[in-house]
Amino acid sequence: MNAIKSKYKRNILLASCINALLFINFIYALPNNAVGYERMMLGDFEVIALYDGVVELHGQFFKGSYEDNLENNPEDKLSNLSERSLSNPEYETQTSVNTYLINTGENIILVDAGVNQCKGTNSGHLDENLRASGYLPEQIDIVLLTHLHVNHICGLVNLDKMAFPNANVYVSQIDADFWLSYEQAAQALPQDQINFKIASDSVKPYRATDQLKFFKGPNLPIFGVKAIATPGHTNGHSAYLFESKGESLIVWGSIIHSIALQLNNPDISVESDMDPAQGIITRKLLLKEISNNRSWVAGAHIPFPGIGRIYKDIPNEMYYWIPLEYKK
């Protein structure tokens, strides 16, 4: 009986790996061979995942238990990191950059604006995929930012002009107070000052026309959505809860950068976390809540389209990801 169970587990694992590899090959082909958008309905709301690209992450990006176990064997660490994340072997690992359009019937909302080409040439596909999905940048009337890091805001501008000229851009007051502060920028290390400049430059044209808005707390002056404070990655990091006809979707930014690593071990943080300990607390609370209430999740750094559900494997105290199934 044990042998049969063992063989069954091996077969399931093999099938999972094959499916994952096929999925990764599909993702790598996206910029050239496929349309980078995926549509679903959430009650009466139309939700569209929009692919902006990928960014490469170096081997020291992930911190915590996984790194500690391999800190004395850096070659093993990189090998295992690539295997567990099924990443392109040319790089140490990489993460997707997704944005999400939600048409509530009252507003056409974009959550995050992507990295554009501020971090290499493997991104910057948001505009083409938005148009391919049937929408124009001018139709976006609200942009909700999860936080003011480069790979979530650089797509706000194109050659210093508004990419979404008719949109009000919302960001938490806490995040704005830090990343848009001249004092904080002046105190930053020289290598970090570019991040403050990009944040300031990305919102500058919206600020000049009073289209940059700040919020505190969960309530927004927007139908069908509430903000959720999710501090850790940045102090003002926010997720957004959309609800329609009894269905819910949580759109987050940088809660997870690798489902292969951080669902198995939520204690793994990343080097860009401003408060790693708080980030771990936030991640665990969100994973627990979402797995209990079965909300849909849309994640900026989950392999495209990044929409799915999270379930908990109770005996093993770990989570697993069930992606949205493709429908033509």
Side-chain angles (χ1 to χ4, degrees), residues 13 19 30 33 47 60 64 80 88 105 108 119 136 151 182 246 280 311 328:
L13 179 60
N19 287 335
L30 268 174
N33 301 323
V47 178
Q60 302 301 316
N80 278 282
N88 188 334
I108 300 176
K119 280 196 170 185
L136 297 174
N151 52 352
Y182 295 111
I280 290 168
Y311 291 86
K328 189 171 181 180

Side-chain angles (χ1 to χ4, degrees), residues 112 145-153 171-180 195-196 199 215 228-240 253-255 257 270-280 282-283 301:
D112 282 342
L145 298 177
T146 60
H147 60 300
L148 289 168
H149 275 175
V150 173
N151 52 352
H152 299 261
I153 61 170
V171 66
S172 78
Q173 184 73 61
I174 295 172
D175 228 49
D177 285 345
F178 182 82
W179 290 105
L180 303 181
N195 296 321
F196 286 89
F215 64 84
I228 304 172
T230 52
H233 186 65
T234 66
N235 293 336
H237 190 286
S238 302
Y240 297 98
S254 294
I255 300 298
H257 287 80
V270 298
E271 69 172 4
S272 53
D273 286 343
M274 291 180 64
D275 186 342
Q278 180 59 56
I280 290 168
T282 294
R283 182 161 43 256
H301 300 308

Side-chain angles (χ1 to χ4, degrees), residues 7-40:
K7 183 178 180 180
Y8 175 77
K9 288 180 179 179
R10 285 199 302 272
N11 289 340
I12 292 294
L13 179 60
L14 178 60
S16 298
C17 288
I18 291 172
N19 287 335
L21 287 168
L22 289 173
F23 180 70
I24 292 300
N25 287 334
F26 166 73
I27 293 303
Y28 286 135
L30 268 174
N32 297 320
N33 301 323
V35 176
Y37 69 87
E38 177 67 20
R39 198 184 315 266
M40 67 169 274

